[in-house]
Amino acid sequence: MSTAADPTADPAPGDPRTAGPATAAAAPAAAVPGQRPQIIGSLSPSRAADFVSCPLKYRFRVVDRLPEPPSQAATRGTMVHTVLERLFDLPPAGRTPAAAEELLPGAWADLRAREPELAAMFADEDELAGWLASARELLAGYFALEDPRRLAPAARELYVEHVLDSGLRLRGYVDRLDEARTADGLALRVVDYKTGRSPGPAFENTALFQMRFYALLLWRTRGVVPRELRLYYLGDRTWLRVVPDADDLLATERRVQALWAAIARAHRTGDWRATPSKLCGWCDHQSRCPAFGGTPPPLPEAQLADDTAPAVCEAQG
């Protein structure tokens, strides 16, 4: 885990270094200078993480598009993200823990209005009250990591998209983008919030892959390598930090291309393998999983690439 002298500091000056869905198995068309390549598929950080952790889970979510019941953890993550986004609508001096708590009921009401079935997650008012209390604790965790009164984000929940020369469309939502104008040009800092606990050292690189994915998108769309990537874990009030360079992001791009090649191969062969792990305890598809004695449904005749919109909040993890 990497730490910095002051996690509340404003972005510091520094060198900024410098369609309709198609089947996943489709071969990329040759790139024509000045012309957008034909889209062969789309990939977001969350779906990439699904495939890496378990190709069968990716299949259930992207190919079969099986519904998943709402969970308290994921819904709480979405609600906390909403509060943190709205917090920066307030004047700097008003961005206090008390103000964040005051935003919580409105965020919960908006969620229920969009998805009324969420209310059924709770057996009674006491369970709901405990859940809301846990959300307040996560917000307190955020304030333990940085002081939002000192920040002026350039963007929140920023949608970024870029099509590689291969035709693979990369896309996702950046929780927060900080900018600083320096003598050497534009410096960017990418910040992402997670409402779970931080991973062990063995899984830090996996966690930071999502951040490098966002950095790659920003580099390709803005021509600037982000100066810093920060991943805040509100559950245990810790954070990860990485300072990327162009070589890091080129390696990330190669990894993404290789990952898509593996996804395309699974689409062609129908070989979506289950990869049992500790994460299985949180999976909604155990009844269909061969690792647990289940049988997957027949594959759809038209196996589409991931053409669904990426989640605005990728709070799980």
Side-chain angles (χ1 to χ4, degrees):
M1 180 175 300
S2 183
T3 58
D6 179 10
T8 68
D10 295 329
D15 272 341
R17 283 146 295 203
T18 63
T23 60
V32 177
Q35 194 175 80
R36 183 183 174 110
Q38 178 184 352
I39 304 297
I40 61 169
S42 299
L43 197 61
S44 69
S46 56
R47 296 293 77 83
D50 283 346
F51 188 83
V52 170
S53 66
C54 179
L56 186 59
K57 178 168 67 173
Y58 176 97
R59 180 204 140 169
F60 286 152
R61 285 182 165 176
V62 176
V63 181
D64 298 290
R65 303 191 185 186
L66 298 177
E68 297 179 352
S71 73
Q72 291 188 14
T75 303
R76 181 179 57 198
T78 300
M79 182 172 62
V80 168
H81 273 70
T82 299
V83 169
L84 293 178
E85 180 185 7
R86 293 176 179 177
L87 184 68
F88 287 98
D89 290 330
L90 302 176
R95 299 171 192 162
T96 63
E101 286 196 21
E102 290 174 4
L103 291 171
L104 201 54
W108 174 226
D110 290 346
L111 270 176
R112 289 200 318 274
R114 291 199 305 270
E115 303 176 59
E117 66 274 14
L118 294 178
M121 292 189 301
F122 306 101
D124 51 39
E125 288 299 317
D126 287 342
E127 186 178 5
L128 172 59
W131 180 77
L132 290 171
S134 69
R136 287 193 290 272
E137 183 65 20
L138 291 172
L139 290 172
Y142 166 72
F143 283 91
L145 292 169
E146 70 177 3
D147 184 352
R149 295 173 299 179
R150 302 174 58 187
L151 301 168
R156 291 159 283 152
E157 299 297 350
L158 173 68
Y159 179 74
V160 190
E161 177 182 305
H162 174 71
V163 180
L164 301 178
D165 289 342
S166 66
L168 177 60
R169 177 170 53 197
L170 308 182
R171 55 187 179 174
Y173 283 89
V174 174
D175 283 349
R176 197 180 85 215
L177 183 66
D178 299 335
E179 293 183 359
R181 292 287 174 182
T182 75
D184 298 309
L186 181 65
L188 301 177
R189 176 168 67 185
V190 182
V191 178
D192 193 75
Y193 314 117
K194 295 293 186 186
T195 50
R197 299 179 68 84
S198 58
F203 297 96
E204 284 186 4
N205 283 334
T206 299
L208 289 170
F209 170 71
Q210 175 183 354
M211 302 302 290
R212 291 188 173 96
F213 193 112
Y214 292 139
L216 172 62
L217 278 170
L218 290 166
W219 183 34
R220 291 306 190 197
T221 56
R222 300 192 178 202
V224 176
V225 173
R227 184 177 186 274
E228 183 183 31
L229 313 175
R230 289 191 183 187
L231 185 53
Y232 288 145
Y233 287 93
L234 311 187
D236 55 1
R237 306 184 181 191
T238 58
W239 58 297
L240 301 177
R241 173 182 181 269
V242 66
V243 178
D245 58 27
D247 288 340
D248 289 334
L249 302 189
L250 287 172
T252 299
E253 186 170 279
R254 290 193 296 270
R255 182 180 176 189
V256 168
Q257 295 276 30
L259 182 59
W260 185 255
I263 293 172
R265 184 165 56 249
H267 274 280
R268 286 195 307 271
T269 64
D271 184 5
W272 301 96
R273 307 228 175 148
T275 308
S277 72
K278 291 186 294 184
L279 298 176
C280 293
W282 288 273
C283 183
D284 294 307
H285 304 292
Q286 285 191 16
S287 63
R288 307 177 181 94
C289 179
F292 293 89
T295 302
L299 276 166
E301 289 186 13
Q303 296 185 43
L304 297 181
D306 182 7
D307 65 322
T308 55
V312 173
C313 166
E314 302 192 47
Q316 292 175 285

